[in-house]
Amino acid sequence: MSDIIKALLNARSLKAAAKELTLEQLEESLAKFSKIVEDRRAEEEAIRAANEDKLRKLEEYKEMLKADGIDPAELLGALATETKKREPRPPKYQYVDDEGQTQKWTGQGRKPKAIQRALDEGKRLEDFLI
């Protein structure tokens, strides 16, 4: 916690710091703090109201689903199964890595180092096709 926050939250520290200020400066500070507090209250009220509105709407939709004979859990389950993960791409290239192991590469992403070295030496990518 910063020193200024510690001073603001401790009455004795705040009083000691305020001794150096004039009455006008203290009143100006009070007005600014009051404005900050008022703004924060308004923000939090808006957030609370938005959350209440969202919860109210969710409850309305839940009741509408029940009235139509649809279980909300069943609907969520149906939505979850609709998003499928795409199948992995089949390998397109085959090469021998630095350890002598035969490896396969789909052609997606960064080129394997062994293929890049061979390309730098003059080979063509088509030479590695499966």
Side-chain angles (χ1 to χ4, degrees), residues 25-37:
Q25 290 172 325
L26 284 172
E27 288 174 345
E28 183 180 340
S29 297
L30 177 61
K32 288 178 182 178
F33 274 115
S34 297
K35 175 69 172 136
I36 291 170
V37 169

Side-chain angles (χ1 to χ4, degrees), residues 67-86:
D68 288 340
I70 299 172
D71 181 24
E74 183 182 357
L75 177 64
L76 290 175
L79 291 174
T81 58
E82 286 181 7
T83 57
K84 287 187 194 176
K85 188 176 179 183
R86 79 169 170 81

Side-chain angles (χ1 to χ4, degrees), residues 42-57:
E43 287 173 14
E44 290 189 11
E45 177 61 28
I47 290 170
R48 187 192 61 73
N51 285 339
E52 284 180 1
D53 189 46
K54 183 178 180 179
L55 289 174
R56 183 187 51 75
K57 286 180 181 178

Side-chain angles (χ1 to χ4, degrees), residues 102-119:
T102 300
Q103 301 289 335
K104 294 181 179 180
W105 177 50
T106 63
Q108 297 289 309
R110 197 170 177 178
K111 283 187 191 88
K113 290 180 183 178
I115 291 180
Q116 187 60 54
R117 271 196 305 274
L119 292 174

